[in-house]
Amino acid sequence: MNYENILIEKENKIAIITINRPKSLNALNKPTIEELHSALKALELEKEVRVIILTGSGEKAFVAGADIKEFSDFNMSEGSQLAAKGQELLFDFIQNLNKPVIAAINGFALGGGLELAMASHFRIASTNAKMGLPEVTLGLIPGYGGTQRLPQLIGKGRAMEMIMTAEMITADKALTYGLVNHVVDQTELLDFTKNIANKIANNSATAIGRAIKSINANYRDGINGFHEEIKNFGECFETEDFTEGTTAFIEKRKAEFKGT
Ligand code: CAA
């Protein structure tokens, strides 16, 4: 499939999606959200792809937010629709993907951009990255899950302050907040992220999918995370990866996981 707003590269077992609207600082308009959805959906089905990295094109921005020019004349119903559709197609979709998605934050991650990074399974930032949820400066609140995921990641008090002040935080502060896992120089960001992705790619994909489901269960209403873990743990015993992993351990060799 041909995409206009994103680029996709594959390297070993890793797929790298680059949001490519540099003139708008990679702002997320409707077509970009739809393209990201269909690319992620296709990559989820590709057995050889084990890890997905999301990043932004250029040196300035990961994603500077939802595309403000697209919704500046919206009414209440259109606004609610924008948030609901976006959450369903992209943000919840990423969180629940059974393949790891890592956000490589290469510059500004603001509003919907930080929300995209937060919906990813974890985040790595370059030293120049700036993160924030500036929606209240537009008379809005975050609409792509930011009011929920930011407090989950950094705690309620810090999230309240970031959302109310609309101020951006530096990569180093994001690291101390636990919003990102690592901070590296921009020139090393992709290689550093790929290195972590490669480690993940060599492990059991079936087990990783179940680990994602179990961890996410803690953030879903009406689901007991411990019960979900027991169910997913049990299911692992039915996989070829389990047989391979335990046999390789006993035979003192490296496991070759097929992801089945
Ligand atoms: N939407 C649309 N266009 C955007 C954009 C956005 N979120 N962010 C930047 N752009 C565009 C600018 O309009 C500008 O385009 P033109 O050259 O055609 O004027 C171009 O990208 C470059 O931006 P700037 O000239 O503003 O660059 P700068 O270096 O002076 O500032 C910035 C960089 C601080 C990131 C600034 O662009 C900015 O504040 N952007 C908006 C950030 C924002 O408010 N994001 C939240 C959006 S709302 C949201 O995301 C809602 C939600 O949760 C669903």
Side-chain angles (χ1 to χ4, degrees):
M1 183 158 169
N2 283 334
Y3 296 112
E4 282 181 13
N5 302 289
I6 60 173
L7 307 169
I8 300 176
E9 292 162 80
K10 288 179 200 160
E11 209 178 296
N12 303 318
K13 297 170 182 167
I14 303 167
I16 301 150
I17 304 182
T18 305
I19 298 150
N20 189 30
R21 299 185 70 219
K23 284 187 186 144
S24 302
L25 302 186
N26 305 321
L28 294 176
N29 60 359
K30 194 165 171 256
T32 307
I33 288 181
E34 285 168 354
E35 288 186 10
L36 283 166
H37 172 80
S38 68
L40 288 160
K41 199 171 169 184
L43 291 171
E44 190 176 32
L45 297 175
E46 276 187 43
K47 255 213 145 12
E48 31 327 333
V49 171
R50 299 285 182 88
V51 183
I52 298 163
I53 297 173
L54 276 182
T55 195
S57 73
E59 291 174 0
K60 199 166 165 181
F62 171 70
V63 170
D67 193 317
I68 300 167
K69 291 161 192 165
E70 197 177 52
F71 60 70
S72 57
D73 61 350
F74 274 14
N75 60 26
M76 182 163 89
S77 148
E78 290 166 316
S80 306
Q81 188 73 16
L82 177 91
K85 200 84 195 137
Q87 289 196 19
E88 182 197 333
L89 277 186
L90 189 56
F91 299 81
D92 292 350
F93 190 77
I94 290 179
Q95 175 162 312
N96 295 318
L97 213 73
N98 74 357
K99 274 179 195 174
V101 179
I102 311 172
I105 306 174
N106 55 308
F108 288 114
L110 302 175
L114 181 56
E115 290 172 303
L116 182 65
M118 291 194 293
S120 304
H121 297 121
F122 62 92
R123 291 144 291 282
I124 298 167
S126 55
T127 45
N128 63 308
K130 293 259 169 58
M131 284 154 262
L133 292 178
E135 283 87 346
V136 296
T137 65
L138 300 167
L140 284 175
I141 64 166
Y144 288 150
T147 64
Q148 304 306 297
R149 291 193 181 96
L150 189 62
Q152 284 166 2
L153 287 164
I154 69 171
K156 186 176 169 186
R158 285 170 169 169
M160 286 280 191
E161 183 179 338
M162 274 183 71
I163 290 172
M164 289 176 191
T165 62
E167 276 179 4
M168 298 181 210
I169 59 169
T170 61
D172 282 339
K173 193 161 202 178
L175 184 65
T176 60
Y177 276 11
L179 184 55
V180 301
N181 291 8
H182 307 274
V183 175
V184 295
D185 196 81
Q186 195 182 44
T187 54
E188 292 160 24
L189 179 66
L190 262 194
D191 282 344
F192 185 91
T193 311
K194 283 183 204 168
N195 191 28
I196 294 184
N198 274 319
K199 289 183 195 165
I200 296 171
N202 289 330
N203 293 328
S204 159
T206 57
I208 286 170
R210 289 184 172 87
I212 292 172
K213 246 192 199 172
S214 304
I215 294 167
N216 280 345
N218 186 42
Y219 303 97
R220 289 173 54 202
D221 283 344
I223 304 267
N224 181 312
F226 290 97
H227 292 171
E228 187 70 16
E229 182 183 277
I230 291 166
K231 180 175 148 289
N232 285 306
F233 180 76
E235 284 174 11
C236 290
F237 288 78
E238 297 291 314
T239 64
E240 290 180 40
D241 277 2
F242 165 71
T243 310
E244 167 63 8
T246 47
T247 307
F249 176 80
I250 290 160
E251 292 175 353
K252 297 191 185 301
R253 62 172 173 81
K254 203 170 170 296
E256 288 290 337
F257 291 113
K258 292 201 190 106
T260 49

